[in-house]
Amino acid sequence: FTRAKGYHDDDQNIIGYAGLVTELTKKAKEQDVMKHKNQQLESLNKISKTISSKLKLDELVQEVTDITTQFVGAEFGAFFYNVKNEAGEFLTLYNLSGADKNSFAKFPIPRKTELFAPTYNGVETVISDDITKDNRYGKSAPHFGMPKGHLPVKSYLAVPVVSPGGEPIGSLLFGHKKIGVFNKDIIPLIEGIASQSAIAIENARLFTEKEVSESNFRMLAESIPQIVAIISQDGIPEYVNKRYTEYTGLSLDDAKAGKGRELVHPDDLEELIGNFEDALKNGNNFKHEFRFRRNDGVYKWHLTRMAPIKDSEDNIVKWVTATTDIDEHKKQEEKKDEFMGIASHELKTPLTSIKAYMQLIQRSTKNAEDDKLVHYVSKANDNIDKLEAIISDLLDISKIQSGKLEMSFSDFDFNTLVEEVYEGIQLTTYHHQIINEDKVDTVVNADRQRIEQVMVNFLSNAIKYSPDGGKITIRSKIKNDEFIEFSVTDEGIGISEDNLNFIFDKYFRVHTDNKEFSGVGIGLYISSEIIKRHSGKIWVESKEGEGSTFFFQIPIRGINE
Ligand code: ADP
């Protein structure tokens, strides 16, 4: 006021205050700017809330188009965005605001023309007061400018939408038929909204992908005949499928409370839990056969497999188990074993008799003149021995099956046994160099004959599966004063990783199509049963094409101490 100058009319009436008027105009302008800024902030705030609340991609994209068109004061806006189809190809879709989709449908998607490319490639915003006068405009065939019938555009604004990782997601295009509608000041704001939209779009995509994969998983888990469970890192069930509930009669809560364990046959429980806890601790896959009680009390044989689910950094986040009913298969297998037991008993009697007669023949041909006859008899005897070994293995299988594979423990010098086996096996091959490398001087308490059987199995396999000869190394070691570890290393064909897990299974053979390697696939199974009965461990390390090492470890002082 003090600085205001009054203007008077001739009658000295004040007609105005020049200074005050100027001050007021400036203030009003400032207030106007403030108000506008506040409005912008408010609408930015609203926009950001709206954008981040949408999780469905199509709704979100429409919302972004509408909101931004309104925000920049455009007559119409379009959002061109890239989507990946099922075949993994990129398509560009678009949404419109302020214009009917039909009025656009007959025109092709904007191409990477000189004008549009910077936006399309996510490089920069393009603004123009009159696009028809822009020298980048109208250069591209076939339309050289706007196609006939296109919405009339003079003011032009195109903003790239780029993901935080730098991937171009799409572009926002705004138009107005009047010249000079878009103000440069708005660029940072609309670019801010565009990057926020990009984050929201990425989230919506991830959400959709997650939803699809979860619904796929559920569909799969609910429709397969297997019992499926997802288990937390500490071994607590987090999800069980419908088949689990149907079979056991238990709910997820029951499973969480550990009621599933009560349904495992008491004879199978300890081993199953042992394997399960071992897998949780060591992060390895495991499979196990066990009897599982149905809700009507009937036990059925099942095979369960458990595998870890890992995150991108290879940390185990959960476990998944799939359990299959193998009861029918088990019954068939039992019948087969039963048949095998009977057949091998039946074969054994005549073979024993043939062997006795052959020995008589051998004795009477000892001094025969005919060399050929002596040779034939010796060949026949070798084959009788082979047949005897096969039948003896088959009989062992039926003993294992009926729980009659009994061990007879005694004290013996371990190295003497190794030497005996070593000498015996050396006679059977000319082109393998067998080395008894590490020896031990200790007496063990074990079933001598059965341990010999395991050693012979390891060594004869080492010879059989090294057809090109090479070194075979025998090692015996004492571990922690408590165990004796025996191993046989060969330089043979080795075993692939896929097969390693099954090598000790009954009837499992890797090289079934190769006639060179004859066998029935029961030697290692019997060996593992023998070692099991010594409370020991049996395992293999192998690389295909390089060779294998088979190990067993048993307590030095037997199983009673
Ligand atoms: P068989 O030798 O009669 O087939 P085994 O139970 O002794 O039966 O062995 C099972 C399978 O393991 C064999 O068929 C073979 O494929 C594989 N195998 C055993 N020992 C070796 C070895 N030293 N090197 C490579 N493969 C082996």
Side-chain angles (χ1 to χ4, degrees):
F1 281 94
T2 48
R3 273 183 282 133
K5 184 176 184 294
Y7 286 90
H8 306 265
D9 65 8
D10 292 348
D11 297 320
Q12 291 302 305
N13 297 322
I14 293 173
I15 52 169
Y17 298 90
L20 184 65
V21 172
T22 358
E23 286 293 314
L24 272 179
T25 314
K26 215 170 143 197
K27 255 219 164 95
K29 261 195 183 157
E30 272 171 13
Q31 270 174 357
D32 248 11
V33 172
M34 284 295 285
K35 202 171 147 201
H36 183 62
K37 284 229 154 104
N38 274 342
Q39 273 173 350
Q40 273 188 338
L41 268 179
E42 239 172 68
S43 44
L44 277 180
N45 203 2
K46 226 158 94 193
I47 289 173
S48 115
K49 271 195 193 141
T50 319
I51 291 177
S52 42
S53 68
K54 294 263 181 254
L55 274 175
K56 281 210 161 136
L57 189 62
D58 47 352
E59 284 177 17
L60 173 67
V61 168
Q62 185 62 55
E63 194 72 44
V64 167
T65 321
D66 290 342
I67 268 179
T68 49
T69 305
Q70 206 188 356
F71 184 76
V72 299
E75 202 178 356
F76 30 74
F79 188 178
F80 295 90
Y81 59 102
N82 307 324
V83 289
K84 220 193 234 174
N85 69 6
E86 276 171 12
E89 300 156 342
F90 273 106
L91 299 176
T92 306
L93 302 181
Y94 63 92
N95 261 44
L96 294 176
S97 187
D100 178 10
K101 212 161 187 176
N102 289 334
S103 68
F104 226 76
K106 50 184 184 291
F107 304 118
I109 298 285
R111 292 149 306 131
K112 293 182 190 173
T113 55
E114 196 180 331
L115 181 65
F116 191 52
T119 316
Y120 193 88
N121 296 334
V123 181
E124 61 175 4
T125 299
V126 175
I127 188 163
S128 171
D129 281 344
D130 185 351
I131 196 67
T132 55
K133 303 239 162 66
D134 193 292
N135 56 15
R136 286 170 293 189
Y137 172 78
K139 285 198 181 150
S140 307
H143 303 297
F144 299 100
M146 221 97 52
K148 232 176 129 203
H150 194 286
L151 293 162
V153 175
K154 294 269 170 154
S155 289
Y156 174 91
L157 173 65
V159 187
V161 180
V162 183
S163 79
E167 178 208 351
I169 288 183
S171 12
L172 282 161
L173 256 74
F174 305 104
H176 204 290
K177 61 175 172 290
K178 284 192 197 148
I179 293 173
V181 169
F182 305 127
N183 189 335
K184 271 202 168 61
D185 296 348
I186 212 158
I187 293 181
L189 299 178
I190 188 73
E191 283 179 345
I193 300 174
S195 59
Q196 218 172 7
S197 311
I199 295 172
I201 288 171
E202 283 225 312
N203 283 345
R205 279 181 185 166
L206 287 177
F207 179 76
T208 316
E209 275 169 22
K210 187 165 162 270
E211 279 219 314
V212 169
S213 76
E214 268 179 16
S215 90
N216 281 350
F217 164 75
R218 265 173 218 283
M219 212 162 65
L220 181 76
E222 296 304 332
S223 59
I224 55 173
Q226 268 96 349
I227 292 170
V228 176
I230 293 190
I231 293 169
S232 73
Q233 283 159 300
D234 0 300
I236 313 286
E238 287 181 351
Y239 163 85
V240 291
N241 69 346
K242 215 163 70 200
R243 181 85 190 113
Y244 177 93
T245 318
E246 278 167 6
Y247 185 85
T248 59
L250 299 180
S251 66
L252 175 61
D253 283 339
D254 294 335
K256 281 186 177 162
K259 295 219 166 111
R261 289 187 179 195
E262 291 168 17
L263 304 184
V264 176
H265 194 284
D267 291 351
D268 304 333
L269 186 63
E270 195 184 326
E271 212 180 323
L272 177 69
I273 304 254
N275 274 342
F276 177 73
E277 283 172 356
D278 207 45
L280 286 184
K281 204 167 80 197
N282 301 319
N284 54 299
N285 288 8
F286 97 88
K287 69 182 181 79
H288 194 85
E289 291 181 3
F290 68 105
R291 281 158 285 179
F292 201 26
R293 200 170 72 211
R294 206 167 50 191
N295 56 32
D296 59 358
V298 176
Y299 280 104
K300 297 242 170 211
W301 275 103
H302 279 77
L303 169 73
T304 190
R305 286 172 193 271
M306 183 161 103
I309 304 175
K310 294 181 178 171
D311 64 14
S312 53
E313 265 133 46
D314 230 24
N315 302 314
I316 296 176
V317 281
K318 282 179 200 317
W319 292 85
V320 60
T321 65
T323 306
T324 317
D325 182 340
I326 52 160
D327 206 60
E328 201 48 45
H329 168 78
K330 269 284 198 196
K331 285 199 178 113
Q332 299 281 352
E333 204 170 80
E334 271 166 27
K335 268 192 207 147
K336 194 167 63 189
D337 287 333
E338 203 179 312
F339 165 78
M340 210 94 94
I342 296 168
S344 29
H345 266 291
E346 291 301 313
L347 288 170
K348 200 183 168 178
T349 323
L351 186 71
T352 315
S353 150
I354 294 173
K355 197 175 173 175
Y357 283 116
M358 278 313 289
Q359 271 162 2
L360 287 178
I361 295 172
Q362 194 171 28
R363 230 171 279 154
S364 48
T365 53
K366 221 181 200 162
N367 303 319
E369 301 280 295
D370 191 347
D371 279 352
K372 265 193 192 151
L373 193 62
V374 176
H375 178 67
Y376 294 155
V377 171
S378 145
K379 277 270 167 212
N381 267 328
D382 287 351
N383 281 299
I384 287 171
D385 289 345
K386 277 188 193 155
L387 204 52
E388 219 180 7
I390 295 172
I391 291 173
S392 156
D393 274 357
L394 291 175
L395 284 170
D396 279 348
I397 291 276
S398 68
K399 278 187 201 148
I400 293 170
Q401 196 61 33
S402 54
K404 285 186 192 134
L405 185 78
E406 277 160 17
M407 300 291 121
S408 126
F409 282 74
S410 66
D411 284 346
F412 61 91
D413 181 69
F414 195 78
N415 197 47
T416 313
L417 174 63
V418 177
E419 288 289 340
E420 269 174 39
V421 172
Y422 164 72
E423 276 159 24
I425 210 86
Q426 232 184 4
L427 300 175
T428 66
T429 174
Y430 298 111
H431 59 297
H432 294 89
Q433 185 196 354
I434 305 177
I435 307 158
N436 186 6
E437 199 174 82
D438 294 331
K439 299 174 190 178
V440 289
D441 179 20
T442 189
V443 170
V444 296
N445 184 262
D447 184 325
R448 194 179 196 276
Q449 214 181 334
R450 290 295 182 184
I451 293 296
E452 175 181 354
Q453 191 179 344
V454 180
M455 290 175 174
V456 170
N457 176 226
F458 279 10
L459 281 158
S460 51
N461 277 346
I463 292 171
K464 183 156 71 171
Y465 298 105
S466 317
D468 300 328
K471 243 181 0 196
I472 293 172
T473 315
I474 304 171
R475 293 186 183 91
S476 311
K477 285 180 185 156
I478 290 178
K479 295 266 161 167
N480 300 335
D481 278 345
E482 217 183 315
F483 300 99
I484 193 139
E485 185 185 287
F486 175 87
S487 69
V488 174
T489 304
D490 64 57
E491 299 174 337
I493 55 173
I495 302 153
S496 71
E497 218 178 310
D498 299 347
N499 289 319
L500 272 181
N501 279 340
F502 309 105
I503 213 83
F504 298 103
D505 288 359
K506 193 163 31 166
Y507 310 128
F508 184 82
R509 306 197 60 236
V510 183
H511 315 96
T512 41
D513 49 354
N514 192 336
K515 294 262 182 314
E516 191 183 353
F517 305 118
S518 65
V520 247
I522 54 177
L524 286 175
Y525 170 68
I526 297 169
S527 293
S528 78
E529 290 292 322
I530 292 172
I531 297 302
K532 219 191 261 175
R533 279 161 180 71
H534 281 80
S535 295
K537 268 200 320 193
I538 190 165
W539 72 102
V540 58
E541 288 168 7
S542 182
K543 237 189 179 157
E544 201 168 17
E546 290 183 18
S548 318
T549 303
F550 281 83
F551 299 86
F552 74 73
Q553 189 177 305
I554 52 166
I556 296 174
R557 285 173 286 274
I559 54 169
N560 300 321
E561 288 176 40

